[in-house]
PDB file of all heavy atoms in Angstrom:
ATOM      1  N   SER A  57     -18.599  40.874 -33.013  1.00  0.00           N
ATOM      2  CA  SER A  57     -18.468  41.416 -34.358  1.00  0.00           C
ATOM      3  C   SER A  57     -18.896  42.871 -34.320  1.00  0.00           C
ATOM      4  O   SER A  57     -19.999  43.179 -33.896  1.00  0.00           O
ATOM      5  CB  SER A  57     -19.355  40.621 -35.325  1.00  0.00           C
ATOM      6  OG  SER A  57     -19.313  41.187 -36.604  1.00  0.00           O
ATOM      7  N   THR A  58     -17.995  43.782 -34.736  1.00  0.00           N
ATOM      8  CA  THR A  58     -18.320  45.204 -34.718  1.00  0.00           C
ATOM      9  C   THR A  58     -18.136  45.760 -36.122  1.00  0.00           C
ATOM     10  O   THR A  58     -17.088  46.273 -36.482  1.00  0.00           O
ATOM     11  CB  THR A  58     -17.388  45.960 -33.739  1.00  0.00           C
ATOM     12  OG1 THR A  58     -17.380  45.258 -32.495  1.00  0.00           O
ATOM     13  CG2 THR A  58     -17.853  47.380 -33.527  1.00  0.00           C
ATOM     14  N   PRO A  59     -19.150  45.663 -36.985  1.00  0.00           N
ATOM     15  CA  PRO A  59     -19.014  46.076 -38.378  1.00  0.00           C
ATOM     16  C   PRO A  59     -18.946  47.590 -38.516  1.00  0.00           C
ATOM     17  O   PRO A  59     -19.486  48.329 -37.704  1.00  0.00           O
ATOM     18  CB  PRO A  59     -20.297  45.530 -39.019  1.00  0.00           C
ATOM     19  CG  PRO A  59     -21.280  45.480 -37.886  1.00  0.00           C
ATOM     20  CD  PRO A  59     -20.477  45.155 -36.683  1.00  0.00           C
ATOM     21  N   ALA A  60     -18.283  48.043 -39.567  1.00  0.00           N
ATOM     22  CA  ALA A  60     -18.239  49.474 -39.878  1.00  0.00           C
ATOM     23  C   ALA A  60     -19.594  49.907 -40.401  1.00  0.00           C
ATOM     24  O   ALA A  60     -20.399  49.106 -40.862  1.00  0.00           O
ATOM     25  CB  ALA A  60     -17.155  49.742 -40.939  1.00  0.00           C
ATOM     26  N   ALA A  61     -19.845  51.205 -40.353  1.00  0.00           N
ATOM     27  CA  ALA A  61     -21.147  51.745 -40.763  1.00  0.00           C
ATOM     28  C   ALA A  61     -21.430  51.471 -42.223  1.00  0.00           C
ATOM     29  O   ALA A  61     -22.576  51.372 -42.637  1.00  0.00           O
ATOM     30  CB  ALA A  61     -21.187  53.241 -40.479  1.00  0.00           C
ATOM     31  N   ASP A  62     -20.365  51.357 -43.042  1.00  0.00           N
ATOM     32  CA  ASP A  62     -20.570  51.162 -44.477  1.00  0.00           C
ATOM     33  C   ASP A  62     -20.491  49.678 -44.852  1.00  0.00           C
ATOM     34  O   ASP A  62     -20.225  49.362 -46.001  1.00  0.00           O
ATOM     35  CB  ASP A  62     -19.526  51.954 -45.278  1.00  0.00           C
ATOM     36  CG  ASP A  62     -18.102  51.549 -44.924  1.00  0.00           C
ATOM     37  OD1 ASP A  62     -17.918  50.793 -43.942  1.00  0.00           O
ATOM     38  OD2 ASP A  62     -17.178  51.994 -45.636  1.00  0.00           O
ATOM     39  N   ALA A  63     -20.740  48.782 -43.900  1.00  0.00           N
ATOM     40  CA  ALA A  63     -20.662  47.357 -44.209  1.00  0.00           C
ATOM     41  C   ALA A  63     -21.964  46.673 -43.818  1.00  0.00           C
ATOM     42  O   ALA A  63     -22.024  45.899 -42.877  1.00  0.00           O
ATOM     43  CB  ALA A  63     -19.482  46.719 -43.478  1.00  0.00           C
ATOM     44  N   PRO A  64     -23.052  46.969 -44.555  1.00  0.00           N
ATOM     45  CA  PRO A  64     -24.347  46.385 -44.197  1.00  0.00           C
ATOM     46  C   PRO A  64     -24.368  44.871 -44.284  1.00  0.00           C
ATOM     47  O   PRO A  64     -25.073  44.208 -43.526  1.00  0.00           O
ATOM     48  CB  PRO A  64     -25.295  47.009 -45.217  1.00  0.00           C
ATOM     49  CG  PRO A  64     -24.420  47.432 -46.362  1.00  0.00           C
ATOM     50  CD  PRO A  64     -23.128  47.817 -45.750  1.00  0.00           C
ATOM     51  N   ALA A  65     -23.588  44.284 -45.221  1.00  0.00           N
ATOM     52  CA  ALA A  65     -23.585  42.827 -45.350  1.00  0.00           C
ATOM     53  C   ALA A  65     -23.024  42.181 -44.099  1.00  0.00           C
ATOM     54  O   ALA A  65     -23.555  41.195 -43.576  1.00  0.00           O
ATOM     55  CB  ALA A  65     -22.767  42.406 -46.573  1.00  0.00           C
ATOM     56  N   ALA A  66     -21.925  42.739 -43.597  1.00  0.00           N
ATOM     57  CA  ALA A  66     -21.315  42.204 -42.371  1.00  0.00           C
ATOM     58  C   ALA A  66     -22.272  42.363 -41.202  1.00  0.00           C
ATOM     59  O   ALA A  66     -22.386  41.487 -40.339  1.00  0.00           O
ATOM     60  CB  ALA A  66     -19.993  42.917 -42.085  1.00  0.00           C
ATOM     61  N   GLU A  67     -22.963  43.522 -41.167  1.00  0.00           N
ATOM     62  CA  GLU A  67     -23.912  43.777 -40.082  1.00  0.00           C
ATOM     63  C   GLU A  67     -25.048  42.760 -40.122  1.00  0.00           C
ATOM     64  O   GLU A  67     -25.466  42.227 -39.101  1.00  0.00           O
ATOM     65  CB  GLU A  67     -24.456  45.188 -40.203  1.00  0.00           C
ATOM     66  CG  GLU A  67     -25.309  45.618 -39.029  1.00  0.00           C
ATOM     67  CD  GLU A  67     -25.669  47.090 -39.105  1.00  0.00           C
ATOM     68  OE1 GLU A  67     -25.003  47.823 -39.848  1.00  0.00           O
ATOM     69  OE2 GLU A  67     -26.622  47.485 -38.416  1.00  0.00           O
ATOM     70  N   ALA A  68     -25.527  42.462 -41.308  1.00  0.00           N
ATOM     71  CA  ALA A  68     -26.603  41.493 -41.443  1.00  0.00           C
ATOM     72  C   ALA A  68     -26.138  40.111 -41.014  1.00  0.00           C
ATOM     73  O   ALA A  68     -26.857  39.369 -40.359  1.00  0.00           O
ATOM     74  CB  ALA A  68     -27.092  41.458 -42.897  1.00  0.00           C
TER      75      ALA A  68
END
Side-chain angles (χ1 to χ4, degrees):
S57 176
T58 311
D62 58 351
E67 188 172 342

